Amino acid sequence: MTDPRQRWERSRPVPTFCGEVELGDPALPATVLTRAGGEPYEQIRLLVRLHGEPLGYLNLPLTDGLLDHEDFYDTATAAFRDRVAIHLRGDGLHAVATLGPGVIPPREKVAHCARSVVDPTSVTVVVCTRNRAAMLPACLAGLRALDHPDLEIVIVDNAPSDESTREVFDREVGDVARFRYVREDRPGLSWARNRGVAEASGEIIAFTDDDVRVDSGWVAGLLRGFRTGTHVGCVTGLVSTATLENLAEYYFDSRVTWASSCQPHLYDMDRHRLAHPLYPYSAGVFGAGANFAVRADMIREIGGFDEALGAGTATEGGEDLDAFVRVLLAGYQLAYEPSALVWHSHRSDLDALRRQMWGYGTGLTAYLVKHLGARRSRNEILAKLPVGFWKIWKIGDATRESYGREHTMPRGLLARERIGMIAGPVLYAQSRAAAQRAGAVRAGAVDARS
């Protein structure tokens, strides 16, 4: 009998080089693109941008690891002609018939480019990390490249088992004034996020993860999102896939929606409602916890993040979904702005991905059960549950369609996520009790010191 994994190895999508191209100053790969072992890539995925604005992705074949530049420009012209014309018109420039080197001036040479506006709003970036010191240098390198005029960066070390994170922080950023290291000993991502909120001095608090590399225009993109509506309390951004080398990365890339959308969107509980049967409790449509920002006064007003949800708790997820929904229920708008770009390194082995999919399932139903227990949302959720949960349960079909029906999907991942959905409500009850105990212990310690 053929081993299922061997069957997968014969039918998997090919490893793909991931990168980006700026049409205002195109620098296409001109040399052979090779993998770590020396084999040439057969395919390339490029995020195409114009003056920082993401237009969309192109997947193109490579010949012996080389990209055909003429093929790229022909394909990009056909795919993005309309969006390029709209962008250029907004910049006061004429439309172009075809794309190519030197056809569009770079942003710094456009007198009235809207994306050159500098928003001076103060921003605090919060990165929560736990026992992943090896990932931190790449994350810190991206943060060091940010040039926002009023910026502080807070690294929250959550219940570390050793001093490795602090050592990496000291080595990589040293005494750079805008960087701060903070330790939060209560385990759990929400405890860490709330510590970041307490430490932040900026008007805007931006959150990203330690396995993410932020784009140099990330903060500017987030601030642009806050200007898209009259009452925006939260902005999410594009989380682009950094590597597509193996089956685990391919599956996750196909599973999530926030890795591909290049169209801005505004959500609220009024004119900008999404046509989804479970809105606003729809899973994952607003963005991801790896890339979002909130108004500091708003997140404090609504009570911060739920300490019973998120990595490091029994629920293992859901704190970002819960926060996004509470922003909308509090009367604020949520904006998705793709120019707020980060690059995410997905789990690269199946065992780690199975654990992550379990957390996706448990976090989803845990946060839904939380809102089911609230008088304000109970009746609304109960009315939407049948069709809503049917759509959630059928997530696998959408993943399979995105993944490619001609390819064999890795086994066990959908099952882990679905079993996690079943377990989520019980785990939320356990996690809620643990969070209350932790809060009581902390309050008692504070009282004893005062």
Side-chain angles (χ1 to χ4, degrees):
M1 182 176 178
T2 305
D3 179 74
R5 185 167 296 187
Q6 291 176 345
R7 228 174 26 243
W8 158 255
E9 290 297 331
R10 288 201 299 269
S11 62
R12 73 184 190 278
V14 296
T16 300
F17 181 88
C18 297
E20 62 178 326
V21 172
E22 166 57 57
L23 294 178
D25 187 18
L28 292 172
T31 58
V32 175
L33 300 173
T34 58
R35 303 177 63 194
E39 308 95 336
Y41 282 100
E42 298 176 41
Q43 183 171 280
I44 188 170
R45 174 193 285 185
L46 291 171
L47 174 61
V48 182
R49 306 173 72 179
L50 176 53
H51 299 156
E53 176 189 1
L55 303 179
Y57 291 91
L58 290 182
N59 294 295
L60 298 168
L62 299 174
T63 303
D64 296 326
L66 286 170
L67 173 66
D68 184 326
H69 290 194
E70 184 176 346
D71 181 34
F72 166 80
Y73 286 118
D74 288 346
T75 307
T77 299
F80 306 123
R81 180 185 289 110
D82 291 344
R83 290 200 64 184
V84 168
I86 293 170
H87 180 108
L88 293 178
R89 186 162 59 247
D91 286 349
L93 301 174
H94 295 293
V96 297
T98 58
L99 299 173
V103 170
I104 299 175
R107 180 167 56 181
E108 56 270 20
K109 292 187 178 180
V110 178
H112 303 290
C113 182
R115 294 179 178 267
S116 296
V117 173
V118 177
D119 185 335
T121 303
S122 59
V123 176
T124 298
V125 174
V126 175
V127 180
C128 303
T129 185
R130 183 174 191 270
N131 293 341
R132 299 211 292 186
M135 291 185 171
L136 203 52
C139 175
L140 292 173
L143 295 171
R144 284 199 305 270
L146 296 173
D147 61 357
H148 186 67
D150 193 348
L151 181 70
E152 69 170 350
I153 299 164
V154 178
I155 307 299
V156 182
D157 195 0
N158 185 214
S161 60
D162 56 36
E163 295 298 315
S164 58
T165 297
R166 181 60 190 261
E167 292 168 359
V168 169
F169 177 88
D170 290 341
R171 183 179 71 245
E172 297 293 327
V173 301
D175 58 355
V176 177
R178 65 180 183 175
F179 280 83
R180 282 196 289 132
Y181 171 93
V182 175
R183 177 169 172 146
E184 172 54 60
D185 287 321
R186 289 171 293 185
L189 180 54
S190 287
W191 287 112
R193 290 198 195 279
N194 285 337
R195 180 62 183 275
V197 170
E199 296 283 340
S201 63
E203 296 176 57
I204 300 298
I205 306 175
F207 294 90
T208 191
D209 291 346
D210 53 10
D211 56 359
V212 158
R213 175 175 55 84
V214 301
D215 180 72
S216 61
W218 176 55
V219 170
L222 290 171
L223 293 175
R224 184 175 300 113
F226 282 103
R227 301 194 298 271
T228 59
T230 57
H231 203 45
V232 177
C234 176
V235 175
T236 61
L238 175 60
V239 184
S240 194
T241 299
T243 56
L244 279 175
E245 297 284 344
N246 54 53
L247 66 156
E249 292 172 337
Y250 258 102
Y251 180 88
F252 191 82
D253 179 73
S254 303
R255 167 65 182 80
V256 297
T257 58
W258 36 257
S260 58
S261 176
C262 292
Q263 291 284 356
H265 204 99
L266 189 65
Y267 303 94
D268 60 27
M269 298 300 291
D270 189 16
R271 294 189 304 111
H272 300 98
R273 295 176 66 94
L274 187 67
H276 188 285
L278 207 55
Y279 186 88
Y281 310 97
S282 36
V285 299
F286 302 122
N291 183 10
F292 73 103
V294 294
R295 294 196 182 278
D297 55 356
M298 183 224 61
I299 195 64
R300 291 168 182 145
E301 171 195 323
I302 68 173
F305 298 89
D306 186 346
E307 292 93 353
L309 295 169
T313 71
T315 62
E316 298 190 35
E319 90 294 339
D320 50 352
L321 304 178
D322 173 62
F324 298 156
V325 168
R326 286 192 291 123
V327 166
L328 295 173
L329 294 180
Y332 292 91
Q333 294 173 313
L334 186 152
Y336 172 73
E337 174 50 60
S339 65
L341 169 69
V342 304
W343 295 86
H344 182 260
S345 298
H346 304 328
R347 303 296 194 276
S348 59
D349 67 89
L350 278 177
D351 288 339
L353 183 58
R354 288 189 182 98
R355 292 191 294 271
Q356 186 176 20
M357 290 298 97
W358 164 268
Y360 268 45
T362 57
L364 169 61
T365 53
Y367 112 85
L368 285 176
V369 163
K370 170 189 173 175
H371 287 274
L372 187 60
R375 283 183 297 177
R376 174 179 180 178
S377 52
R378 182 182 302 132
N379 291 339
E380 185 179 15
I381 293 179
L382 285 174
K384 296 178 176 182
L385 271 181
V387 64
F389 269 120
W390 174 250
K391 282 189 171 291
I392 291 171
W393 197 259
K394 299 294 286 183
I395 283 173
D397 289 345
T399 304
R400 190 175 291 107
E401 192 67 38
S402 175
Y403 194 76
R405 292 187 178 272
E406 72 276 15
H407 299 122
T408 306
M409 293 229 300
R411 300 181 64 182
L413 293 173
L414 283 175
R416 287 288 289 172
E417 188 170 3
R418 286 169 173 168
I419 294 171
M421 291 179 191
I422 297 170
V426 174
L427 294 175
Y428 180 71
Q430 296 174 352
S431 187
R432 180 76 267 159
Q436 290 171 346
R437 289 193 299 270
V441 169
R442 181 60 173 255
V446 172
D447 291 342
R449 290 197 300 267
S450 58

